[in-house]
Amino acid sequence: MKDSKSPHNWIAKHIAALPKSGIRDFFELVSSMDGVISLGIGEPDFVTPWHIREATIYALNTGYTSYTSNLGDLRLRKEVSKYAAANFGITYNPEDECIITVGVSEGLDLLLRAVLNPGDEVLYHEPCYVSYAPGIRMTHAVPIPVQTYEKYDFVLQVEHLEEKVTPRSKVLLLNYPNNPTGAGLTLEDKRKLAEFAIKHDLLVISDEIYEELNYIPRSHSIASLPGMHERCVVLNGFSKAYAMTGYRIAYALGNAAIIDAMMKIHQYSMLCASSIAQAAAIEALKHGASQREEMRQEYEQRRNLIVKRFNQMGLNCFMPRGAFYVFPRISASGMSSHEFATRLLHEKKVAVVPGTAFGSCGEGFVRCSYATSMQDIEIALQRIGEFIGHC
Amino acid sequence: MQKLQKDILNLLRRNARISNQEIADRLDSKVEKIDATIKKMEEQGLILGYTAIVAEEAEQDVVRAIIEVQIQPERDSGFDNLARKLAKFPEVVAAHLVSGRYDLRLEVLGKSLQEIASFVSDKLASQDGVKSTATYFLLKKYKEAGLELAKEETHERLKVTP
Ligand SMILES: Cc1ncc(COP(=O)(O)O)c(C=O)c1O
């Protein structure tokens, strides 16, 4: 029964039941303090390269400010399709196998809504990006996390998937290079996962937002493997590779039936992505390669430094293969992830994110982002070293 | 050139005061190896020196000019003899042979307009082989060695994001 006195009762049950993001509490705590050096930021510290910003200004100056086609400006879709063929080894038709979305965030939401019926199960790895489980729950489907382990380089293992797969399993959701662990897949890893997906007739959603920030020899997308083209949707975007988080622009590549279903939702809920962000994205794909590579190299060097320092401190740190996060094990400190992060913040004014924000198996780890100036990284590492020494 | 040498040079060009330890950590190498590689590049003349990028406020009483010089190439040495000779003048801080309408591009530095003007008339234009000069005084600096002088206003990112 409705109790009109309590606004809470207006909230849909499945939304009320969603837990608040573990990052949210931490964000509020950090924001209330001054002088904090944050290794908790999941976006590039670089400003968007100037040529991309300039193209945005040009789009404004020339009045490119109207709606675009629902799927997105065809020029952009053509560039995306060309880029994916050259870099990911996958060919998708720009006319009907590509949709431009408002971030990978929207792409993932559209896709989950397009393919999931209530009760369907989605297999995905933990630790993982914070919105996977809530995104699945919002479609009334069931999130089935599968733990990944440091000893397997945080790569999802088929034997662990086999333990969780059921006749209701419909989707396998992957994110490599991974937030928060920095894990990446070798070609062999991709083959095994593809085989598993085919065996159980699963749709694979591959969130490849960090694909351009790769520090191991790159192999083609899992979607390029035999039998995968039809059962794989690749999500990628401009946020990380081109330092364009605020633009909110991304794309999905997949077979026409699925893209069309995503487009149905997109046309009613979003209509289209921002036209000026689309203009900027065209510029990024056409002329952004060299600055993208410069940023990648800078991240790679910071990674080398930060991993070495953590290991020297006695905090065992997995060598990330991609993205801009390290995921050191802090259990040697005798503290839980949450206690470690909270005390480090209060005692040394350094913000890191407790591993548990990315799934309960993140206990014993913290996530540190190295998308921060080297100067700040050095100070933060110094303080973390002092903190470890005292406890 | 080896990859390590190239990587070191890239880092030094961005910040010549970076510590050898940081270079080693960034490049996943050993500090002893970085010490030795840099020393060797200095000895081989691959690294010629280190300099500071200085703001205009720190350079008062200094006038800079670009001088375009057309010269007569010589039979055996082409432009080299005269170019090297002109580069010896302490007023000349940079000298390049260039393609296009003229031959040498000199950057000169003096204490005043007059000093540069007299350098041009007394030392440069009067040289055998110098056919013509055009002098452009530099009025304001916007960028040097890849660094913009007016820093962009920095925008604070959110302190914690997923
Ligand atoms: C794994 C992963 N997927 C998706 C996103 C969201 O990206 P976008 O800015 O394109 O919405 C992020 C952002 O942090 C991420 O880490």
Side-chain angles (χ1 to χ4, degrees), chain B residues 21-73:
Chain B
Q21 183 64 57
E22 182 178 334
I23 295 179
D25 292 347
R26 278 174 170 264
L27 301 181
D28 198 15
S29 180
K30 292 250 181 317
V31 70
E32 295 78 19
K33 184 149 185 212
I34 303 298
D35 289 342
T37 311
I38 291 179
K39 189 142 177 278
K40 191 153 162 230
M41 285 195 286
E42 289 170 348
E43 283 165 6
Q44 291 174 330
L46 290 174
I47 295 174
L48 298 168
Y50 304 88
T51 180
I53 305 159
V54 167
E56 277 179 320
E57 301 91 281
E59 276 208 326
Q60 276 155 16
D61 312 321
V62 164
V63 178
R64 288 175 186 269
I66 299 290
I67 307 179
E68 300 174 351
V69 190
Q70 281 188 318
I71 59 182
Q72 183 65 46

Side-chain angles (χ1 to χ4, degrees), chain A residues 220-357:
Chain A
H220 282 162
S221 168
I222 188 168
S224 73
L225 297 177
M228 292 307 285
H229 189 269
E230 285 304 297
R231 67 169 65 250
C232 199
V233 180
V234 173
L235 303 176
N236 198 342
F238 297 83
S239 288
K240 319 286 172 169
Y242 301 92
M244 290 171 64
T245 41
Y247 275 89
R248 312 306 306 124
I249 190 81
Y251 54 87
L253 296 165
N255 77 62
I258 294 179
I259 296 296
D260 190 55
M262 290 171 73
M263 199 271 275
K264 253 194 209 167
I265 307 171
H266 178 74
Q267 77 182 352
Y268 294 131
S269 59
M270 195 64 69
L271 227 162
C272 68
S274 149
S275 57
I276 52 175
Q278 294 190 56
I282 293 174
E283 172 65 22
L285 287 177
K286 277 190 161 160
H287 305 295
S290 74
Q291 274 188 275
R292 187 185 75 215
E293 174 56 17
E294 261 175 48
M295 293 189 275
R296 191 201 66 80
Q297 281 178 14
E298 175 65 21
Y299 291 132
E300 181 172 359
Q301 293 186 2
R302 293 179 191 172
R303 172 199 71 151
N304 293 342
L305 182 141
I306 200 168
V307 167
K308 182 172 167 194
R309 299 288 170 83
F310 271 120
N311 284 325
Q312 282 171 347
M313 275 176 217
L315 297 184
N316 193 27
C317 188
F318 163 75
M319 178 60 94
R321 293 174 175 173
F324 40 57
Y325 309 102
V326 283
F327 205 57
R329 176 182 278 286
I330 51 87
S331 39
S333 69
M335 285 178 263
S336 72
S337 298
H338 193 266
E339 190 187 357
F340 183 94
T342 317
R343 278 187 54 192
L344 179 63
L345 181 62
H346 282 120
E347 292 171 29
K348 291 290 172 184
K349 296 205 165 187
V350 175
V352 299
V353 182
T356 43

